[in-house]
Amino acid sequence: MLRSLFAAVSGMQNMQTKIDVIGNNIANVNTTGFKYARVKFQDMLSQTLRGASAPQQGRGGINPSQVGLGMVLGSIDNIHTQGSLQPTGRPEDLAIQGNGFFVVSDGSRVFYTRDGSFSRGSDGDLVNAATGMKVLGWTAASDGTIDPTGPVGPINIPLGEKTIAKATENIVFMYNLDANAAVNDTHSVSVDVYDSLGVRHTLTFTFKKGTNPNEWTWDVTGGTDAGTIDKPTDTTLKFNMDGSLESPTTPPEIKFTPTNPNAAEVSIKLNFRAVTQLAAPSTLDYKYQDGFPPGELEGFTIGSDGVISGTYSNGLVRNLGQIALAAFGNPEGLLKAGDNLYQITSNSGEPRIGTPGTQGRGTIQTATLEMSNVDLARELTEMIITSRAFQANSRVVTTSDEILQELINLKR
């Protein structure tokens, strides 16, 4: 009878623990990135009343006889299945599609989270506004290159604060030179190019019809601020009989050093592959040049690979950084630290930090948040079952008490 009492008490105690877990799951049904917990029970040590015996002398074997002493809590597992994705329209809101965690830090400790409700802090760093934790990743170099093999750190997005320019490196020409032009006829094109400081320089290209009917020569001049322009010794454009360009097959290069001593030398490749010589008026012009004047950072976008691309007022787009993700061999071994954060444990394994979409890490969905993976219908069903189990265990206690009462009454 005492055994039944203790068994029932253990059942009531552990059913209460399960109700606590269910209550926490239901409370977090709308918590961003929350992962529900599952309770597993195990039977307690059983008391052996009779051991087992093997078959012998024509008689069959006998099974052991045991009385269980109740149940114990086996484990409380955090189930890291994917939560549903909810569009928010905020470019700073991020969700992970697949495995992995965002890496955040308070400056001294590192945590991991699936909660991607981020924003720009007052210093321009990408942070979780609710906790102040800074999102970690890699900052791009001045030319926009990113090295994901280096150490991670805070990512800064200096909207309205960062100004950059780009020196012209390529000019692409297109359209036609008149095949019927007379010898020494010319056609001029003006192109605005930029040096390393974003200063504009106007270069004038002059094309002259040669004595050979399929040849033109070109020359380039600039203003006094461009200094002397160095050009190749051979400045001839040769055309095939069908009007397509025969040579040069590789873009020739011109160089000039601006008179401003703070500006670097400008080296520009000239691409003539789209130029033709047909019996039509000369319309040769440049298609584009890839330099930009100074521009301020106006906006940014985040790709599925975590790369943050900044958009500048001069039309330039350049990488600002890349968000890192961490993967674990056993994510269920992570320890909940509150505020939607996790810490590593000896059973979670060390974090494998890298770029999204590589080595089993998921991809990033922009303007989206991952919702809780709590299934309310399942939790309510579990709550009913657990409540009935608690009620049944309580009945065992009252029944055992009644039997003990009858036993005591035998003395009367």
Side-chain angles (χ1 to χ4, degrees), residues 328 330-336 343-350:
F328 293 89
N330 177 28
E332 294 185 359
L334 292 169
L335 180 68
K336 288 185 176 181
Q343 291 177 301
I344 62 173
T345 67
S346 57
N347 197 41
S348 66
E350 290 298 316

Side-chain angles (χ1 to χ4, degrees), residues 222-239:
T224 56
D225 59 346
T228 303
I229 300 178
D230 295 329
K231 53 184 179 293
T233 55
D234 185 5
T235 60
T236 303
L237 300 181
K238 295 182 180 180
F239 295 91

Side-chain angles (χ1 to χ4, degrees), residues 65-124:
S65 297
Q66 295 178 294
V67 177
L69 301 180
M71 50 92 83
V72 295
L73 183 67
S75 65
I76 302 177
D77 303 321
N78 292 314
I79 309 303
H80 287 263
T81 56
Q82 179 79 48
S84 61
L85 302 183
Q86 179 67 44
T88 65
R90 291 185 69 250
E92 297 93 344
D93 286 342
L94 306 176
I96 301 174
Q97 178 69 55
N99 298 323
F101 296 81
F102 296 109
V103 186
V104 296
S105 174
D106 62 359
S108 59
R109 297 172 297 170
V110 176
F111 298 91
Y112 307 90
T113 182
R114 296 280 293 194
D115 181 1
S117 52
F118 302 137
S119 63
R120 288 182 64 252
S122 59
D123 57 358

Side-chain angles (χ1 to χ4, degrees), residues 94-97 102 136-138 144 146 148 155 301-309 319-325 354-358 361-366:
L94 306 176
I96 301 174
Q97 178 69 55
F102 296 109
L136 302 187
W138 302 275
I146 300 173
I155 303 174
T301 58
I302 302 176
S304 61
D305 57 357
V307 173
I308 304 172
S309 301
N319 294 337
L320 302 176
Q322 188 172 18
I323 296 172
L325 291 185
T355 57
T358 63
R361 288 175 285 268
T363 57
I364 291 179
Q365 303 295 316
T366 309

Side-chain angles (χ1 to χ4, degrees), residues 43-292:
D43 63 330
M44 197 180 292
L45 177 68
S46 297
Q47 181 178 358
T48 301
L49 302 180
R50 182 182 63 190
S53 62
Q56 56 183 337
Q57 298 179 356
R59 298 179 61 183
I62 300 175
N63 294 326
S65 297
Q66 295 178 294
V67 177
L69 301 180
M71 50 92 83
V72 295
L73 183 67
S75 65
I76 302 177
D77 303 321
N78 292 314
I79 309 303
H80 287 263
T81 56
Q82 179 79 48
S84 61
L85 302 183
Q86 179 67 44
T88 65
R90 291 185 69 250
E92 297 93 344
D93 286 342
L94 306 176
I96 301 174
Q97 178 69 55
N99 298 323
F101 296 81
F102 296 109
V103 186
V104 296
S105 174
D106 62 359
S108 59
R109 297 172 297 170
V110 176
F111 298 91
Y112 307 90
T113 182
R114 296 280 293 194
D115 181 1
S117 52
F118 302 137
S119 63
R120 288 182 64 252
S122 59
D123 57 358
D125 286 349
L126 195 62
V127 301
N128 184 308
T131 63
M133 295 282 179
K134 294 192 175 184
V135 184
L136 302 187
W138 302 275
T139 300
S142 58
D143 61 353
T145 58
I146 300 173
D147 180 14
T149 62
V152 294
I155 303 174
N156 191 265
I157 306 176
L159 290 178
E161 301 173 8
K162 185 176 182 180
T163 303
I164 64 171
K166 182 179 183 297
T168 300
E169 297 177 350
N170 297 277
I171 300 176
V172 176
F173 293 92
M174 62 187 305
Y175 302 133
N176 187 61
L177 288 171
D178 191 355
N180 294 328
V183 175
N184 294 329
D185 277 359
T186 61
H187 177 77
S188 298
V189 177
S190 294
V191 183
D192 288 337
V193 299
Y194 299 90
D195 62 24
S196 59
L197 301 179
V199 177
R200 183 179 64 185
H201 304 272
T202 301
L203 303 183
T204 300
F205 292 85
T206 303
F207 299 85
K208 180 189 294 187
K209 183 65 178 291
T211 55
N212 187 315
N214 289 325
E215 289 185 0
W216 291 70
T217 59
W218 60 270
D219 193 13
V220 57
T221 57
T224 56
D225 59 346
T228 303
I229 300 178
D230 295 329
K231 53 184 179 293
T233 55
D234 185 5
T235 60
T236 303
L237 300 181
K238 295 182 180 180
F239 295 91
N240 296 309
M241 299 297 290
D242 62 357
S244 61
L245 185 73
E246 177 183 343
S247 67
T249 56
T250 58
E253 189 173 26
I254 62 172
K255 297 180 181 180
F256 69 90
T257 301
T259 55
N260 187 332
N262 296 317
E265 180 185 65
V266 180
S267 178
I268 305 174
K269 292 182 178 180
L270 310 178
N271 190 327
F272 296 109
R273 296 304 303 170
V275 176
T276 60
Q277 181 192 242
L278 300 172
S282 293
T283 56
L284 186 147
D285 203 345
Y286 76 99
K287 182 179 181 181
Y288 73 89
Q289 60 83 31
D290 57 1
F292 289 93

Side-chain angles (χ1 to χ4, degrees), residues 3-17 41-44 68-73 390 393 397:
R3 283 193 300 248
S4 64
L5 276 172
F6 287 124
V9 169
S10 70
M12 294 171 63
Q13 289 175 333
N14 289 292
M15 289 304 161
Q16 179 60 57
T17 300
F41 297 123
Q42 295 175 340
D43 63 330
M44 197 180 292
L69 301 180
M71 50 92 83
V72 295
L73 183 67
F390 185 94
N393 278 282
V397 172

